[in-house]
Amino acid sequence: MAESRSKSDVAKRPVRAWYVLRAISGKEAKVKEVLDAAIRNTDLGKYVFQVLIPTEKVLTVRNGKKVIKEKNLYAGYVFVEAILVGEVIHELRNTTNVIDFLSVKDRGTNVPEPLRQSEVTRMLGTLDQMVDETADGANDYIVGESVKVNFGPFTGFTGEIEEVDRERKKLKVMVKIFGRKTPLELENSQVERV
């Protein structure tokens, strides 16, 4: 009998896992800021380990200048690695701009549902991949690849890459203008893959 109790106690013991908080869309960064401060300054730091908002860097061209903006991958969601014991659930639910946990109904109550390991791996892997891409230059083009010019006086022209200068992030693209092949020197951000 003692063995069965210890097994059931082990099954009920809270574990460290990733959970999803639903937040007011556009307020995800504020939720992260509040939770990070609470982790640093209160006992919440003993139970909440990380707060993440998966974002991706998007390169846009505005008025001829490259602008990198961060865009949320999952608008309205904040990911939290935590052990949900005692008042921790209450503290997280009652954080400013948090609606509730992503949860399942169990006997009439909403129970926060942890993410499966495969989901966590995919989420963290996606973040790592994006960091690697921004570090290496997300647009590593190769000679012979077809690209379309998306900025400048030759917008809309399609051509083939003749040279790639990775250090300067420049490309030499051959486009047909009035039936003649013409070389253009363009920045990586001025073209897109066809």
Side-chain angles (χ1 to χ4, degrees), residues 40-52:
R40 281 191 309 273
N41 302 325
T42 68
D43 285 343
L44 192 62
K46 294 178 184 175
Y47 305 103
V48 179
F49 307 101
Q50 288 185 67
V51 181
L52 283 178

Side-chain angles (χ1 to χ4, degrees), residues 141 145-149 156-160 191-194:
Y141 294 99
E145 191 172 6
S146 292
V147 291
K148 181 178 179 181
V149 180
F157 282 87
T158 306
E160 192 174 292
V191 299
E192 60 188 36
R193 289 181 168 90
V194 180

Side-chain angles (χ1 to χ4, degrees), residues 17-182:
W18 283 93
Y19 297 91
V20 181
L21 290 171
R22 292 185 308 131
I24 295 172
S25 189
K27 299 289 185 178
E28 300 90 345
K30 200 70 173 158
V31 169
K32 180 178 175 13
E33 184 181 315
V34 168
L35 288 176
D36 284 341
I39 289 168
R40 281 191 309 273
N41 302 325
T42 68
D43 285 343
L44 192 62
K46 294 178 184 175
Y47 305 103
V48 179
F49 307 101
Q50 288 185 67
V51 181
L52 283 178
I53 304 169
T55 59
E56 66 179 336
K57 291 187 191 306
V58 179
L59 181 74
T60 57
V61 179
R62 242 187 233 154
N63 298 329
K65 294 186 180 186
K66 291 184 276 185
V67 178
I68 296 177
K69 264 179 82 173
E70 284 200 0
K71 176 184 164 199
N72 285 356
L73 283 176
Y74 309 105
Y77 295 102
V78 177
F79 295 81
V80 179
E81 185 182 20
I83 298 174
L84 299 184
V85 294
E87 291 292 311
V88 175
I89 295 174
H90 179 73
E91 291 272 336
L92 292 174
R93 270 193 179 128
N94 291 319
T95 302
T96 306
N97 297 317
V98 169
I99 298 168
D100 202 354
F101 279 93
L102 204 58
S103 55
V104 292
K105 284 220 183 252
D106 184 33
R107 297 183 189 127
T109 62
N110 286 340
V111 178
E113 182 177 13
L115 292 174
R116 291 186 293 266
Q117 188 56 44
S118 61
E119 295 169 324
V120 173
T121 304
R122 186 176 22 182
M123 175 188 66
L124 295 175
T126 302
L127 290 175
D128 290 343
Q129 180 184 354
M130 283 189 288
V131 168
D132 290 346
E133 283 179 354
T134 55
D136 297 342
N139 297 326
D140 278 341
Y141 294 99
I142 56 173
V143 173
E145 191 172 6
S146 292
V147 291
K148 181 178 179 181
V149 180
N150 62 12
F151 181 76
F154 300 101
T155 300
F157 282 87
T158 306
E160 192 174 292
I161 297 175
E162 294 285 316
E163 288 178 29
V164 177
D165 185 346
R166 285 180 176 37
E167 290 173 13
R168 292 177 45 221
K169 296 190 179 186
K170 299 255 183 187
L171 304 170
K172 186 175 188 182
V173 180
M174 283 296 207
V175 296
K176 274 194 171 184
I177 301 175
F178 303 119
R180 295 179 63 189
K181 286 190 176 183
T182 307

